[in-house]
PDB file of all heavy atoms in Angstrom:
ATOM      1  N   PRO A1046     -14.734  -1.137  -4.189  1.00  0.00           N
ATOM      2  CA  PRO A1046     -15.812  -0.737  -5.114  1.00  0.00           C
ATOM      3  C   PRO A1046     -16.420  -1.899  -5.877  1.00  0.00           C
ATOM      4  O   PRO A1046     -16.785  -1.758  -7.051  1.00  0.00           O
ATOM      5  CB  PRO A1046     -15.096   0.233  -6.040  1.00  0.00           C
ATOM      6  CG  PRO A1046     -13.712  -0.324  -6.135  1.00  0.00           C
ATOM      7  CD  PRO A1046     -13.406  -0.854  -4.764  1.00  0.00           C
ATOM      8  N   PHE A1047     -16.515  -3.051  -5.280  1.00  0.00           N
ATOM      9  CA  PHE A1047     -17.175  -4.194  -5.914  1.00  0.00           C
ATOM     10  C   PHE A1047     -17.777  -5.037  -4.798  1.00  0.00           C
ATOM     11  O   PHE A1047     -17.348  -4.976  -3.646  1.00  0.00           O
ATOM     12  CB  PHE A1047     -16.201  -5.012  -6.761  1.00  0.00           C
ATOM     13  CG  PHE A1047     -14.885  -5.299  -6.099  1.00  0.00           C
ATOM     14  CD1 PHE A1047     -14.755  -6.338  -5.195  1.00  0.00           C
ATOM     15  CD2 PHE A1047     -13.767  -4.528  -6.379  1.00  0.00           C
ATOM     16  CE1 PHE A1047     -13.546  -6.595  -4.566  1.00  0.00           C
ATOM     17  CE2 PHE A1047     -12.549  -4.774  -5.759  1.00  0.00           C
ATOM     18  CZ  PHE A1047     -12.439  -5.814  -4.858  1.00  0.00           C
ATOM     19  N   SER A1048     -18.766  -5.829  -5.164  1.00  0.00           N
ATOM     20  CA  SER A1048     -19.504  -6.605  -4.168  1.00  0.00           C
ATOM     21  C   SER A1048     -19.246  -8.104  -4.252  1.00  0.00           C
ATOM     22  O   SER A1048     -19.634  -8.839  -3.356  1.00  0.00           O
ATOM     23  CB  SER A1048     -21.007  -6.344  -4.324  1.00  0.00           C
ATOM     24  OG  SER A1048     -21.316  -4.982  -4.122  1.00  0.00           O
ATOM     25  N   TRP A1049     -18.576  -8.538  -5.330  1.00  0.00           N
ATOM     26  CA  TRP A1049     -18.383  -9.973  -5.539  1.00  0.00           C
ATOM     27  C   TRP A1049     -16.966 -10.254  -6.010  1.00  0.00           C
ATOM     28  O   TRP A1049     -16.362  -9.455  -6.717  1.00  0.00           O
ATOM     29  CB  TRP A1049     -19.376 -10.504  -6.585  1.00  0.00           C
ATOM     30  CG  TRP A1049     -20.801 -10.333  -6.202  1.00  0.00           C
ATOM     31  CD1 TRP A1049     -21.604  -9.245  -6.452  1.00  0.00           C
ATOM     32  CD2 TRP A1049     -21.600 -11.246  -5.466  1.00  0.00           C
ATOM     33  NE1 TRP A1049     -22.845  -9.443  -5.935  1.00  0.00           N
ATOM     34  CE2 TRP A1049     -22.883 -10.677  -5.326  1.00  0.00           C
ATOM     35  CE3 TRP A1049     -21.363 -12.521  -4.917  1.00  0.00           C
ATOM     36  CZ2 TRP A1049     -23.920 -11.317  -4.654  1.00  0.00           C
ATOM     37  CZ3 TRP A1049     -22.414 -13.158  -4.259  1.00  0.00           C
ATOM     38  CH2 TRP A1049     -23.667 -12.558  -4.125  1.00  0.00           C
ATOM     39  N   THR A1050     -16.468 -11.425  -5.623  1.00  0.00           N
ATOM     40  CA  THR A1050     -15.154 -11.876  -6.084  1.00  0.00           C
ATOM     41  C   THR A1050     -15.238 -13.353  -6.477  1.00  0.00           C
ATOM     42  O   THR A1050     -16.144 -14.075  -6.045  1.00  0.00           O
ATOM     43  CB  THR A1050     -14.067 -11.722  -5.010  1.00  0.00           C
ATOM     44  OG1 THR A1050     -14.372 -12.569  -3.881  1.00  0.00           O
ATOM     45  CG2 THR A1050     -13.953 -10.270  -4.538  1.00  0.00           C
ATOM     46  N   VAL A1051     -14.281 -13.769  -7.275  1.00  0.00           N
ATOM     47  CA  VAL A1051     -14.087 -15.178  -7.612  1.00  0.00           C
ATOM     48  C   VAL A1051     -12.606 -15.481  -7.439  1.00  0.00           C
ATOM     49  O   VAL A1051     -11.755 -14.758  -7.967  1.00  0.00           O
ATOM     50  CB  VAL A1051     -14.548 -15.516  -9.052  1.00  0.00           C
ATOM     51  CG1 VAL A1051     -14.035 -16.885  -9.477  1.00  0.00           C
ATOM     52  CG2 VAL A1051     -16.056 -15.458  -9.143  1.00  0.00           C
ATOM     53  N   ASN A1052     -12.298 -16.565  -6.728  1.00  0.00           N
ATOM     54  CA  ASN A1052     -10.916 -16.978  -6.514  1.00  0.00           C
ATOM     55  C   ASN A1052     -10.790 -18.458  -6.863  1.00  0.00           C
ATOM     56  O   ASN A1052     -11.106 -19.321  -6.026  1.00  0.00           O
ATOM     57  CB  ASN A1052     -10.490 -16.757  -5.048  1.00  0.00           C
ATOM     58  CG  ASN A1052     -10.510 -15.283  -4.674  1.00  0.00           C
ATOM     59  OD1 ASN A1052      -9.739 -14.492  -5.182  1.00  0.00           O
ATOM     60  ND2 ASN A1052     -11.418 -14.922  -3.759  1.00  0.00           N
ATOM     61  N   PRO A1053     -10.362 -18.784  -8.078  1.00  0.00           N
ATOM     62  CA  PRO A1053     -10.237 -20.197  -8.445  1.00  0.00           C
ATOM     63  C   PRO A1053      -9.126 -20.933  -7.704  1.00  0.00           C
ATOM     64  O   PRO A1053      -9.117 -22.153  -7.664  1.00  0.00           O
ATOM     65  CB  PRO A1053      -9.955 -20.151  -9.953  1.00  0.00           C
ATOM     66  CG  PRO A1053      -9.403 -18.774 -10.201  1.00  0.00           C
ATOM     67  CD  PRO A1053     -10.065 -17.888  -9.210  1.00  0.00           C
ATOM     68  N   TYR A1054      -8.198 -20.177  -7.122  1.00  0.00           N
ATOM     69  CA  TYR A1054      -7.103 -20.767  -6.354  1.00  0.00           C
ATOM     70  C   TYR A1054      -7.073 -20.152  -4.948  1.00  0.00           C
ATOM     71  O   TYR A1054      -7.419 -18.971  -4.767  1.00  0.00           O
ATOM     72  CB  TYR A1054      -5.748 -20.496  -7.034  1.00  0.00           C
ATOM     73  CG  TYR A1054      -5.674 -21.034  -8.438  1.00  0.00           C
ATOM     74  CD1 TYR A1054      -5.967 -20.214  -9.532  1.00  0.00           C
ATOM     75  CD2 TYR A1054      -5.308 -22.353  -8.689  1.00  0.00           C
ATOM     76  CE1 TYR A1054      -5.910 -20.703 -10.832  1.00  0.00           C
ATOM     77  CE2 TYR A1054      -5.235 -22.852  -9.980  1.00  0.00           C
ATOM     78  CZ  TYR A1054      -5.544 -22.017 -11.049  1.00  0.00           C
ATOM     79  OH  TYR A1054      -5.478 -22.507 -12.333  1.00  0.00           O
ATOM     80  N   ARG A1055      -6.645 -20.944  -3.990  1.00  0.00           N
ATOM     81  CA  ARG A1055      -6.360 -20.430  -2.649  1.00  0.00           C
ATOM     82  C   ARG A1055      -4.949 -20.839  -2.290  1.00  0.00           C
ATOM     83  O   ARG A1055      -4.542 -21.974  -2.498  1.00  0.00           O
ATOM     84  CB  ARG A1055      -7.363 -20.970  -1.627  1.00  0.00           C
ATOM     85  CG  ARG A1055      -8.783 -20.506  -1.897  1.00  0.00           C
ATOM     86  CD  ARG A1055      -9.734 -20.905  -0.796  1.00  0.00           C
ATOM     87  NE  ARG A1055      -9.451 -20.211   0.462  1.00  0.00           N
ATOM     88  CZ  ARG A1055     -10.229 -20.290   1.537  1.00  0.00           C
ATOM     89  NH1 ARG A1055     -11.312 -21.054   1.509  1.00  0.00           N
ATOM     90  NH2 ARG A1055      -9.917 -19.631   2.638  1.00  0.00           N
ATOM     91  N   GLY A1056      -4.195 -19.887  -1.724  1.00  0.00           N
ATOM     92  CA  GLY A1056      -2.749 -20.062  -1.641  1.00  0.00           C
ATOM     93  C   GLY A1056      -2.156 -19.608  -2.950  1.00  0.00           C
ATOM     94  O   GLY A1056      -2.870 -19.472  -3.973  1.00  0.00           O
ATOM     95  N   CYS A1057      -0.835 -19.331  -2.960  1.00  0.00           N
ATOM     96  CA  CYS A1057      -0.260 -18.767  -4.174  1.00  0.00           C
ATOM     97  C   CYS A1057       1.232 -19.046  -4.243  1.00  0.00           C
ATOM     98  O   CYS A1057       1.991 -18.698  -3.333  1.00  0.00           O
ATOM     99  CB  CYS A1057      -0.502 -17.255  -4.224  1.00  0.00           C
ATOM    100  SG  CYS A1057       0.025 -16.474  -5.768  1.00  0.00           S
TER     101      CYS A1057
END
Side-chain angles (χ1 to χ4, degrees):
F1047 45 82
S1048 299
W1049 299 89
T1050 64
V1051 167
N1052 296 294
Y1054 301 94
R1055 296 187 66 173
C1057 186

